[in-house]
């Protein structure tokens, strides 16, 4: 017992190991609760259920952040909540791209949760790798923060100038690659990601990817691309690997739960991308100032982020108040996966 306590009180990436163990246990518990209890029987998730589940995930994140606050100090607590909010803000744009992918591939709401759930496992792994690499770069090459800051400012300006652009799925490079290198069925096969069918040329039974598998792969890669923006943004708040990683994962877990409410009225958030672009530019400036030892108060960053995000949401809802809700499934065109 003493050796176990000694091991748990050890240090990993600047944080006691028992903090990591507690975090991993909470995440595993949430995933088991989600799949094993809430969604043991597959069903279409309506907006009300989505909002309730999102509220539950927010409460868990708030409880975890409060524990960090009282156990590691107010500054660490503020950094967690700020990183959590920044990640949620920037990842919202990702949710709308995911909705477009589902709509293009014709993935019904019945199976969308299955894709998002298994996608979470990839998020947990890939974010760990990306954040680990980012932390190593920051710790060994402090000047890398200048590049992070410049990249975020550039991305924010580019997002602002392309805020009205619709994703073009037909010319999507990920989809083109999958079509070229994998056998893909043109129709769903229930909840299966793969299916055994004859090859039309040889007649042999081979493995085919279903549209569900294509959606999962595209969602994973899109999330990784978006993480290139959002992870450096959290490094503007703190270089504490534990805070960066845990705030990222809790934010993504919550947003995946909120997805079905957002996707049901994706047209109502038409102007949200502008506020996200402004947040990116401001965060880029903030991270650019870190190597210069110019510190912007964490609480101020939190308040500014909340204000800009709330302003974008409220303005979008007001400007589209007379429009009916339109989801990705309401769009008439869906893609043909076989070339």
């Amino acid at each position: 017992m003493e050796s176990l306590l000694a091991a748990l009180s050890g240090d990993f990436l600047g944080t006691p190991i028992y903090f990591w163990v507690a975090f991993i246990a909470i995440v595993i518990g949430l995933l088991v609760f989600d799949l094993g209890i809430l969604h043991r029987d597959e069903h279409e998730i309506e907006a009300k259920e989505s909002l309730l589940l999102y509220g539950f995930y927010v409460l868990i994140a708030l409880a975890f952040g409060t524990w960090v606050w009282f156990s590691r100090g107010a500054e660490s607590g503020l950094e967690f909540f700020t990183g959590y909010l920044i990640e949620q803000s920037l990842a919202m744009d990702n949710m709308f791209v995911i909705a477009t992918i589902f709509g293009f591939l014709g993935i019904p709401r019945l199976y969308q949760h299955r894709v998002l759930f298994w996608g979470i496992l990839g998020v947990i792994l890939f974010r760990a790798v990306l954040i680990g690499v980012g932390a190593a770069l920051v710790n060994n090459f402090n000047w890398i923060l200048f590049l992070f800051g410049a990249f975020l400012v550039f991305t924010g300006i580019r997002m602002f100038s392309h805020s009205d652009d619709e994703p073009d799925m037909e010319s999507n490079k990920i989809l083109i690659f999958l079509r070229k290198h994998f056998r893909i069925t043109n129709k769903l096969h229930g909840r299966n990601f793969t299916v055994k069918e004859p090859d039309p040329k040889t007649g042999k039974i081979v493995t085919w990817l279903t549209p569900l598998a294509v959606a999962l792969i595209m969602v994973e890669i899109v999330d990784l691309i978006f993480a290139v923006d959002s992870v450096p943004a959290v490094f503007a708040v703190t270089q504490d690997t534990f805070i960066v990683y845990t705030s990222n994962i809790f934010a993504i877990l919550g947003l995946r739960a909120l997805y079905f409410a957002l996707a049901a009225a994706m047209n109502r958030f038409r102007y949200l991308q502008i506020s996200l672009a402004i947040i990116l530019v401001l965060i880029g400036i903030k991270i650019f100032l870190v190597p210069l030892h110019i510190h912007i108060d964490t609480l101020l960053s939190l308040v500014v982020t909340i204000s800009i995000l709330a302003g974008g949401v409220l303005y979008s809802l007001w400007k589209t108040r007379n429009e009916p809700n339109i989801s990705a499934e309401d769009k008439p065109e869906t893609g043909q996966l076989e070339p």
Side-chain angles (χ1 to χ4, degrees), residues 256-277:
R256 292 291 168 95
L258 183 62
Y259 165 80
F260 295 94
L262 290 175
M266 57 187 303
N267 64 303
R268 298 294 308 280
F269 299 92
R270 186 177 305 148
Y271 302 95
L272 181 60
Q273 195 174 47
I274 296 175
S275 64
L276 301 183

Side-chain angles (χ1 to χ4, degrees), residues 126 174 178 216-227:
F126 294 139
I174 304 170
L178 292 175
L216 177 60
I217 294 169
M218 292 186 71
V219 165
E220 291 285 12
I221 296 176
V222 164
D223 180 82
L224 189 60
I225 293 171
F226 274 86

Side-chain angles (χ1 to χ4, degrees), residues 133-144:
V133 171
L137 289 173
V138 171
N139 290 331
N140 290 282
F141 309 101
N142 191 249
W143 52 266
I144 202 76

Side-chain angles (χ1 to χ4, degrees), residues 139-203:
N139 290 331
N140 290 282
F141 309 101
N142 191 249
W143 52 266
I144 202 76
L145 291 173
F146 288 124
L147 296 182
F148 284 175
F151 175 73
L152 292 179
V153 170
F154 169 78
T155 304
I157 294 173
R158 188 173 183 276
M159 182 185 290
F160 185 84
S161 61
H162 293 79
S163 59
D164 294 329
D165 293 355
E166 291 286 337
D168 183 5
M169 287 291 112
E170 277 294 348
S171 60
N172 184 276
K173 293 181 180 179
I174 304 170
L175 184 57
I176 292 173
F177 177 86
L178 292 175
R179 282 171 166 169
K180 184 176 180 181
H181 293 89
F182 295 91
R183 301 182 184 91
I184 302 173
T185 64
N186 220 17
K187 62 179 182 178
L188 290 166
H189 289 263
R191 64 200 299 271
N192 297 321
F193 288 112
T194 61
V195 65
K196 297 284 188 179
E197 287 190 342
D199 186 303
K201 295 181 180 178
T202 65

